[in-house]
């Protein structure tokens, strides 16, 4: 059975740096609060009109494909993870396929928010192991700056998120003992509404006073996105930060230990841990729980904020570029977020 290695990795972040101080001009917040509670000092925001989730994903993909020593036509499947797609539908995968003039290959979008990249990697791994594909492009990209509430009302969310993209080429190898050792995926929908963007959506909350017989286009449009929804800020994401935090600090170590246990590895065997960059306090809590030294953990949330599905591949790309990962290293990745969904991946590089 083939194994999945990461043959190439790349990332792209917009050039526009937005500091905490910049945000204080828009809302009641401070540089001190943001650093103390999240560890974030600055983030990147994509160009309003010239950059999209797909265009950033394309830039990251070009680097990953080049680093793998491949051409666009060598890719035989695309998996694109994002919560901030260019269009409501179709997904970003096909836009990337078109832009990179790839063959008429399959393109799948994954909507698992913060754990999207881990889910996407797990899917890629299964396709490689069954022998169906040889080179799969996995992308995580987000343009959060497009849909955040930049008033004081939305400050608990808007200060956290940033834009960017990362990509990897997952490749089949017959070499034994290398590549992805296992992936572990979980969900608990009990708290689905605690970190969510409800609209536009088909949920019933705003249907109660409308009878089927009364339907007309104006009413339907109103249910999709009404002025009332916008007035109540229901077009922005909602997050109960403390509830997410409390669950995250339990599930991160749990799913990392699950990956280690499955492969009969010990915490000390990890050469590099890359967790989804949700909040520096969460990452530090996980590091402490596992007893890992600073050189075994990679964090970049101070520079990019939380880039959701893009955060792990951006960190992976930076860590690889700076020589923090070498062949034979045990690299563990883990994510937790909206859903709640969480997961881990462990590999021998
Ligand atoms: O990647 C997706 C998964 N998401 C996460 O993992 C996020 C997890 N949660 C968190 O990172 C943290 O809960 C936050 C950073 C979102 C918030 O930090 P916190 O320490 O949990 O603060 P809090 O929500 O308990 O709010 C404390 C206070 C409140 O004021 P009062 O009620 O004590 O007067 C908030 O209104 O801080 C206030 N606050 C702010 N103050 C200044 C909330 N946001 C801000 C802000 N600037 N940006």
């Amino acid at each position: 059975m083939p194994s999945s290695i990461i043959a190439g990795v790349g990332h792209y972040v917009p050039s526009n740096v937005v500091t905490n101080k910049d945000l204080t001009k828009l809302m009641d917040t401070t540089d001190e609060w943001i650093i103390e509670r999240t560890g974030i000092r600055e983030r990147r925001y994509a160009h309003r009109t010239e950059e999209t989730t797909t265009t950033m994903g394309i830039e990251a993909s070009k680097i990953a494909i080049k680093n793998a020593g491949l051409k666009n036509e060598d890719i035989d499947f695309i998996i694109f993870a994002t919560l901030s797609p260019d269009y409501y539908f179709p997904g970003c995968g096909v836009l990337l396929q078109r832009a990179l003039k790839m063959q008429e290959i399959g393109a799948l979008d994954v909507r698992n928010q913060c754990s999207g990249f881990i889910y996407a990697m797990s899917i890629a791994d299964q396709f490689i192991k069954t022998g169906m594909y040889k080179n799969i492009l996995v992308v995580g990209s987000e343009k959060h700056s497009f849909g955040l509430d930049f008033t004081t009302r939305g400050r608990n969310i808007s200060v956290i998120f940033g834009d960017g993209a990362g990509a990897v080429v997952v490749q089949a190898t017959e070499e034994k003992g290398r590549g992805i050792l296992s992936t572990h995926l979980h969900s608990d929908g009990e708290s689905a509404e605690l970190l969510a963007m409800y609209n536009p959506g088909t949920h019933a909350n705003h249907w109660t006073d409308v009878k089927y017989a009364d339907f007309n286009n104006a009413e339907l449009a109103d249910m999709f996105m009404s002025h009332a929804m916008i007035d109540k800020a229901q077009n922005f994401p909602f997050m109960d930060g403390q509830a997410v935090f409390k669950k995250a600090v339990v599930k991160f170590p749990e799913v990392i230990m699950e990956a280690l246990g499955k492969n009969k590895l010990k915490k000390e065997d990890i050469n590099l841990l890359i967790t989804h960059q949700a909040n520096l306090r969460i990452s530090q809590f996980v590091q402490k729980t596992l007893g890992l030294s600073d050189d075994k953990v990679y964090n970049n949330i101070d520079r990019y904020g939380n880039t959701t599905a893009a955060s792990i591949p951006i960190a992976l790309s930076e860590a690889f570029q700076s020589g923090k990962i070498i062949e034979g290293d045990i690299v563990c990745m883990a994510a937790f977020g909206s859903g709640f969904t969480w997961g881990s991946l462990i590999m021998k590089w």
Side-chain angles (χ1 to χ4, degrees):
M1 184 167 71
S3 301
S4 315
I5 55 163
I6 293 182
V9 53
H11 72 280
Y12 172 84
V13 289
S15 55
N16 180 27
V17 176
V18 177
T19 64
N20 293 343
K21 201 164 163 237
D22 292 332
L23 294 180
T24 64
K25 293 173 201 146
L26 303 171
M27 63 190 82
D28 181 13
T29 189
T30 62
D31 184 38
E32 295 72 27
W33 191 96
I34 301 172
I35 292 175
E36 192 194 314
R37 304 283 178 130
T38 70
I40 300 165
R41 291 173 186 275
E42 58 189 42
R43 73 285 292 141
R44 306 294 178 98
Y45 285 171
H47 189 282
R48 273 283 140 123
T49 54
E50 286 167 21
E51 287 179 314
T52 70
T53 297
T54 302
T55 69
M56 291 188 287
I58 288 167
E59 294 310 314
S61 298
K62 283 182 189 164
I63 301 167
I65 294 169
K66 187 163 177 252
N67 287 347
L70 298 176
K71 295 197 167 55
N72 295 355
E73 56 265 33
D74 297 324
I75 299 297
D76 32 36
F77 195 63
I78 300 162
I79 310 179
F80 200 120
T82 187
L83 67 68
S84 50
D86 294 28
Y87 301 137
Y88 192 69
F89 69 84
C92 295
V94 296
L95 305 180
L96 182 137
Q97 181 274 343
R98 176 175 69 186
L100 292 182
K101 298 187 172 45
M102 288 171 158
Q103 315 281 339
E104 290 179 351
I105 55 174
L108 170 72
D109 271 45
V110 168
R111 294 193 50 188
N112 273 64
Q113 298 68 247
C114 307
S115 61
F117 183 74
I118 299 290
Y119 268 73
M121 289 295 283
S122 182
I123 296 165
D125 186 37
Q126 313 315 311
F127 276 132
I128 296 281
K129 283 189 173 131
T130 58
M132 184 150 172
Y133 297 125
K134 297 226 166 347
N135 290 298
I136 302 178
L137 179 66
V138 179
V139 186
S141 181
E142 304 287 0
K143 183 174 174 179
H144 286 307
S145 60
F146 184 73
L148 297 173
D149 181 356
F150 286 107
T151 68
T152 298
R153 181 181 56 192
R155 65 184 177 175
N156 71 321
I157 294 186
S158 48
V159 301
I160 295 178
F161 291 99
D163 301 341
V168 301
V169 175
V170 181
Q171 189 171 65
T173 181
E174 292 298 337
E175 230 179 295
K176 295 284 162 237
R178 255 193 92 197
I180 296 176
L181 303 175
S182 63
T183 57
H184 305 268
L185 308 178
H186 296 280
S187 73
D188 175 4
E190 213 33 62
S191 308
E193 283 76 20
L194 294 188
L195 175 47
M197 186 159 146
Y198 309 125
N199 297 303
T202 59
H203 61 93
N205 296 359
H206 45 274
W207 283 61
T208 42
D209 52 351
V210 184
K211 292 190 181 60
Y212 289 95
D214 296 337
F215 267 12
N216 61 46
N217 280 349
E219 279 162 349
L220 278 173
D222 224 32
M223 283 188 276
F224 189 73
M225 186 56 77
S226 67
H227 285 288
M229 282 180 212
I230 293 169
D231 293 343
K232 287 187 220 158
Q234 289 173 345
N235 55 321
F236 293 119
F238 169 82
M239 177 168 75
D240 179 341
Q242 286 204 11
V244 180
F245 195 105
K246 281 181 195 152
K247 191 91 172 179
V249 293
V250 174
K251 293 298 173 189
F252 266 113
E254 196 176 284
V255 79
I256 294 167
M257 291 309 293
E258 185 183 351
L260 290 169
K262 166 86 183 169
N263 295 287
K264 298 190 172 45
L265 292 167
K266 299 187 291 299
K267 294 180 229 172
E268 307 81 69
D269 294 322
I270 295 177
N271 295 104
L272 196 67
L273 173 68
I274 299 179
T275 58
H276 161 52
Q277 302 290 289
N279 179 322
L280 186 63
R281 286 194 295 144
I282 295 177
S283 301
Q284 287 170 337
F285 193 94
V286 175
Q287 178 182 351
K288 204 169 155 214
T289 307
L290 296 173
L292 298 177
S293 52
D294 287 349
D295 60 321
K296 292 198 164 188
V297 179
Y298 192 83
N299 288 314
N300 59 11
I301 192 168
D302 56 323
R303 288 177 285 128
Y304 303 133
N306 178 338
T307 56
T308 308
S311 90
I312 293 178
I314 293 175
L316 182 70
S317 175
E318 281 196 344
F320 181 69
Q321 266 179 11
S322 60
K324 286 191 193 304
I325 306 175
I326 54 168
E327 203 171 315
D329 275 356
I330 296 291
V331 180
C332 184
M333 306 171 209
F336 176 90
S338 165
F340 294 134
T341 64
W342 62 101
S344 63
L345 175 158
I346 192 154
M347 65 180 298
K348 189 164 186 168
W349 196 270

